[in-house]
Structure formats: C-alpha cells, structure tokens
C-alpha cells in the first residue's frame, strides 16, 4: 500500500500543467530523433542538459524520460517504412516490418509496433514500480561470465535460428565479429585490422554498419533487380487498426517480447539488441513449428515481439540507473551525468532522499506511454503514405537520408565513404543469399563478448571453469542447449517431410 500511495503522489506531481507540457515536448522530440538515424536519444538528452539546467529537476527528468521513450517508439517507423532503423534497437523490427510495408501493410506494421511498445512499456513500468528491489538484486548478480554467456546465446540463436541456414549464419556472424574488432583494442592497446589507416583507429561506427547493411545494401539490391522486377505500386491500406486475425497473431508475441525484454533492461550493459534478436528468433521458431512460416515475407509476429522486447528493456533499464547508479546504455549514462549535475547521487538511497522526484519520474513514464500511443497510432496511415512516392524517388531519398544521418553522427566524410563500402557488402550478402542479422549482432555484441571473456579469465587466472561457476551462467547455457536440440530436431523433421 505504501508503494501505491507513493505512486499516486508521483502522479500528483507529474500531472501539473508544466510537467505535462515538458513530458509532451520530450516524447515529441524523442519520436523525431528516433526517426532520424545517426542522432539518437543520447545526443538529444546531452544537448538538452545545459538547456534544462534552470528547470526544476523533476520537470527536467520527466522531459529526459519522454525523449528516451519517444526515441524507441520513433525508431521503428523508418525501420518499417524505409528499412533504415532510427535506433540500433529497432534493427530486428526491420526484418519483417519492411516486407510488410512492401506488401501494402505498412499501417498494420506500424500499428502492431506502437501497440506492442505501449503494452510492454506499461507492463515493464508497473514491474519497476512494485518489484524494483528484486530487480536490483538480479542486476547485482551479473558479472563477466554471465555477460559472456548472454552474448554466446545471442550469437548462436541469431546464427542458427534467425538465419535459417546455419553455415551461412555462422559465416555472417564471423564477418560481423571481424568488423567489430577493427580499431584499437581497449585492454591491450593493440591496433587491429586498420589496414594502416589512422581513421580506422576508433573502429567502425555501429550507425555506419547498421545503415549501410540495411538501407544502402537494400537500395543497391533493388536497383540491381529493377529490370527483372519492375516497380509496382506499394500503396498501403489506410486503416491503422489491426484486424481480429492480426490481433490474434500479435498478442502472444507482445507478451513473449515483454517477458524477454524486462530482465535484459535490468542487467547493466545488457542493452535492447539481445532481447529484440532473441524475440525475433523465438517467434520465427514458433512459426515454423505451427507450419505457417511467413518470416522473410512480412510476418506480423516478427514486428510485434521485437518491438515489445525493445520497449520493455527501455523501461526496466531505469532500475540499475536509479537503484545502483549503473547506466545500461549511452542514453542512461547521459541521464546519470544529469543527476550528478543536479547534485544527486543515484543509488539505493535515491528512493528515500529524492523520493518526490523518483516517483514523479516513474508516474511520468505511464503518462508518456499514453501520449506516445495517442501520437503515433493515428498517424500510422500518414507515415505509410511515404510508400506512395515512386520507387526511384523513394530509394534516392533513402540514400540521401542515410548519408545525412551518418554524416551528422560524427561530421566525418570518411564515415560516409565507409557507409557506401558497407552498403556494397550488404548488397553482396543479399545477392548470394547470406543473412544480414548475424552480421549486425556480431558487430554490436562482439566487443561485449570479448571484454567479458577476457575479464572473466583475468578474474580466475585463466581457469575456464569460471564461465560455468554461477547459476545464472549455467541456466543461460541450459537454455542454449535446449534451443539447439529443438532446432536440430525440427530441421531433421522438415528434411524427412521433404
């Protein structure tokens, strides 16, 4: 009852006209930033910190939280319509969202993404409100061996389950890991795979790889097949509402995605990429078992699950930030810096020393989620009208949009050059039937896997047994073993049936 009373007091603070206006400004700005690849919510909040320093801290953090949530909602829009994720956490959404858009179902794809995001946000924030102490205990239990186990699970799940072809999936994963190793090794200072170029010492930006593989690669592939596959009109149905069949196919992935995303948000350095790819892989496996596999051609489950996982992770990522002072993402790190600028110290005492601010912030997450639902759902048909643009103009616009996004991130012409090189690589992958997802997961999680393994080995003085010493790690490997066995059995059955 005490928690409920504190939450109601938080709503009292968050529902003041000024704080409502700041929350609305935050979600709108976050949505706009989420749509634009290369900007990101971290950059937006970093720019807002000095501007909002004169505001009341409660209002400022309500605005920051609105930007954080809005960015996740907005990132799915361009992933679905243009195959260009605004956020790295929306990459998995593009795999089925973009084919749905090409099949004249863009409003339905956007609607299931928005509704899934809303449901996951509400459920995750509710869990944060009532179970944050338990979540803090979970976060404390994770160390380098557990992180390494998580990355291995993500690697094999993406390569074997999502890719379909295990050999090609593992080849794509190896390519992604090679790209992730370019630059200076953080621990030893060794220079790796830079080809003698000093501009590669900082490595290849994730934004460059994401936009190059998904956007530029797709444009080149479509252009190469333009004569064999002449352009057809891709006008989408103007109805943003989901049919009974769509809802029936979406609600279970929403719940499964939420269940996957909640624990990953709590884990420091977990990020939203692992649960979104795991959700996509789980939905694809379940679809095959039902015998109605539409994946690769626009399966609505492939949008519903990853988007729910993404937003559930975003909501619960506030637990380690507020309860332990540990950021789980670049955006959370900027918010941690903002707390420090206001003279506050996130940690176990924050809930008692700054109770009014914390509970107003949590209450604003409910309000912001409702605002984002009301802002995004009615505009789904409007966004979908982008697909009315003739294909040659649309894809030319995607190239310009992607180029500006990459240049904006670091103001580097060399990054633009790398963008087109990676785009050519994406074209070759599509041309010869190699999956893109394992490459992306290798680039994103490769550094975390390497760092975690080396730290675990350093802790144990080279004893490999440390990787299997904790219950969390053993449980993750057990899940991995079950997934591999089930996947192998299903493949054997399909081979016999064929």
């Amino acid at each position: 009852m005490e928690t409920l009373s504190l939450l109601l007091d938080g709503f009292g603070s968050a529902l003041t006209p000024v704080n409502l206006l700041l929350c609305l400004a935050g979600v709108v700005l976050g949505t706009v930033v989420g749509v634009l690849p290369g900007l990101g919510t971290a950059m937006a909040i970093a720019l807002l910190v000095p501007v909002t320093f004169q505001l009341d801290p409660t209002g400022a953090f309500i605005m920051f939280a609105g930007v954080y949530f809005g960015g996740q909602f907005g990132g799915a829009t361009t992933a679905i319509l243009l195959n260009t994720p605004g956020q790295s956490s929306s990459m998995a959404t593009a795999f089925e969202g973009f084919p749905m858009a090409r099949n004249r179902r863009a409003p339905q794809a956007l609607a299931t993404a928005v509704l899934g995001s809303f449901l996951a946000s509400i459920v995750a924030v509710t869990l944060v409100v009532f179970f944050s102490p338990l979540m803090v205990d979970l976060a404390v239990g994770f160390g380098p061996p557990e992180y390494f186990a998580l990355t291995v699970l993500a690697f094999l799940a993406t390569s074997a389950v999502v890719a379909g072809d295990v050999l090609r999936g593992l080849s794509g994963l190896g390519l992604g890991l090679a790209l992730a190793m370019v630059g200076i090794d953080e621990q030893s200072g060794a220079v790796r795979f830079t080809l003698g170029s000093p501009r590669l010492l900082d490595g290849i930006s994730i934004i460059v790889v994401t936009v190059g593989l998904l956007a530029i690669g797709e444009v080149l592939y479509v252009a190469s097949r333009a004569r064999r596959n002449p352009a057809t009109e891709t006008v989408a149905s103007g109805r943003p509402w989901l049919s009974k069949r769509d809802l029936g196919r979406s609600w279970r992935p929403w719940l499964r995605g939420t269940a996957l995303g909640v624990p990953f948000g709590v884990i420091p350095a977990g990020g939203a990429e692992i649960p979104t790819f795991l959700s996509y892989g789980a939905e694809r496996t379940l679809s095959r078992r039902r015998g109605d596999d539409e994946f690769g051609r626009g399966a609505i489950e492939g949008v519903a699950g990853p988007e729910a996982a993404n937003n559930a992770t975003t909501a619960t990522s506030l637990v380690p930030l507020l309860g332990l002072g540990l950021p789980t993402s670049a955006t959370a790190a900027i918010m941690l810096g903002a707390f420090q600028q206001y003279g506050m110290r996130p940690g176990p005492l924050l809930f008692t020393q700054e109770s009014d601010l914390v509970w107003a912030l949590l209450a604003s997450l409910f309000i912001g989620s409702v605002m984002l639902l009301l802002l995004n759902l009615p505009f789904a048909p409007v966004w979908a009208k982008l697909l009315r643009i003739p294909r040659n103009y649309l894809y030319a616009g995607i190239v310009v949009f992607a180029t500006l996004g990459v240049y904006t991130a670091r103001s580097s012409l060399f990054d633009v050059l790398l963008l087109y090189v990676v785009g050519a690589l994406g074209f070759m992958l599509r041309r010869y039937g190699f999956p893109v997802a394992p490459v992306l997961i290798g680039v994103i999680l490769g550094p975390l896997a390497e760092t975690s393994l080396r730290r675990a080995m350093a802790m144990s003085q080279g004893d490999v047994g440390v990787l299997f010493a904790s219950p969390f790690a053993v449980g993750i490997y057990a899940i991995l073993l079950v997934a591999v066995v089930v996947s192998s059995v299903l493949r054997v059955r399909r081979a016999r049936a064929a």
Side-chain angles (χ1 to χ4, degrees), residues 291-313:
D292 57 352
D293 188 9
E294 292 182 14
F295 277 76
R297 304 189 303 274
I300 197 169
E301 296 90 343
V303 177
E307 275 304 296
N310 178 18
N311 284 268
T313 304

Side-chain angles (χ1 to χ4, degrees), residues 346-360:
L349 298 179
L350 185 70
F351 282 82
T352 55
Q353 294 176 347
E354 301 292 343
S355 176
D356 293 343
L357 184 148
V358 170
W359 289 104

Side-chain angles (χ1 to χ4, degrees), residues 108-459:
Q108 286 71 37
L110 291 168
T112 194
V114 170
L115 290 171
S117 298
F118 172 74
L119 173 66
S121 298
I122 294 297
V123 171
V125 174
T126 302
L127 292 174
V128 169
V129 167
F130 291 100
F131 299 102
S132 52
L134 294 176
M135 292 181 177
V136 169
D137 292 339
L138 173 64
V140 171
F142 264 74
E146 290 78 17
Y147 289 138
F148 180 71
L150 282 176
T151 56
V152 171
L153 174 62
F155 287 154
L156 292 185
T158 305
S159 302
V161 178
V162 175
D165 187 321
V166 177
L167 183 59
R168 293 189 177 192
L170 291 175
S171 300
L173 176 64
L175 179 59
L177 291 173
L179 290 174
M181 293 178 70
V182 173
I184 296 178
D185 177 23
E186 293 182 1
Q187 296 193 26
S188 68
V191 177
R192 306 184 297 192
F193 304 133
T194 61
L195 303 177
S197 173
R199 294 185 176 181
L200 287 174
L201 292 176
D202 290 334
I204 302 175
S205 167
I206 290 177
I207 296 170
V208 171
V209 176
T210 302
V211 177
L213 287 178
L214 293 179
I216 304 299
E218 177 70 19
V219 169
L220 294 175
Y221 183 69
V222 169
S224 72
R225 300 172 64 87
R227 292 188 178 181
R228 279 180 283 177
N229 298 322
T232 56
E233 190 179 16
T234 56
V235 178
S237 161
R239 195 166 55 90
W241 317 114
L242 299 176
S243 65
K244 287 185 178 179
R245 183 170 181 271
D246 289 334
L247 282 172
R249 293 177 60 183
S250 297
W251 71 268
R252 291 182 183 88
W254 286 337
L255 295 179
R256 285 190 288 264
T258 302
L260 274 172
V262 165
F264 278 93
V266 175
I267 301 168
E273 291 81 7
I274 297 178
T276 53
F277 276 96
L278 290 179
S279 175
Y280 181 79
E283 297 306 326
R284 183 162 192 165
T285 301
L286 292 171
S287 178
R288 287 172 177 166
R289 291 182 64 183
R290 292 192 299 266
D292 57 352
D293 188 9
E294 292 182 14
F295 277 76
R297 304 189 303 274
I300 197 169
E301 296 90 343
V303 177
E307 275 304 296
N310 178 18
N311 284 268
T313 304
T314 302
T316 53
S317 67
L318 293 176
V319 171
L321 173 64
L322 298 176
L324 296 173
L326 295 175
T328 60
S329 65
T331 307
I334 300 297
M335 291 180 69
L336 176 62
F339 272 110
Q340 293 170 348
Q341 283 203 13
Y342 278 102
M344 303 174 194
R345 196 165 191 162
L349 298 179
L350 185 70
F351 282 82
T352 55
Q353 294 176 347
E354 301 292 343
S355 176
D356 293 343
L357 184 148
V358 170
W359 289 104
L361 177 62
L362 293 176
S364 75
L365 299 180
F366 289 103
I367 299 168
S369 297
V370 173
M371 287 181 175
L372 284 163
L373 177 69
L374 298 177
L375 281 171
N376 284 276
L377 190 60
F379 283 96
V382 177
W383 285 112
K385 286 181 180 178
L386 284 172
L387 300 178
R388 294 178 179 269
I389 302 172
R391 182 181 286 190
N392 54 336
Y393 296 125
L394 177 62
Y395 282 101
I398 292 174
V399 173
V400 173
F401 191 63
T403 303
L404 289 175
V406 167
Y407 181 76
T408 302
R410 295 199 296 193
S411 300
S412 171
L413 289 175
F414 185 73
D415 278 357
V416 174
L417 176 62
L418 279 179
L419 170 71
Y420 294 116
V421 172
V422 174
L425 174 62
F427 164 72
M428 297 300 291
L429 290 172
R430 288 170 171 81
R431 173 67 178 79
Y432 294 103
F434 282 82
V436 174
V439 182
L440 293 171
I441 204 72
V443 170
I444 292 170
L445 296 181
L448 176 61
E450 180 188 11
T451 303
S452 300
L453 177 60
R454 292 168 71 172
R455 286 179 178 172
M457 291 294 97
M459 288 166 45

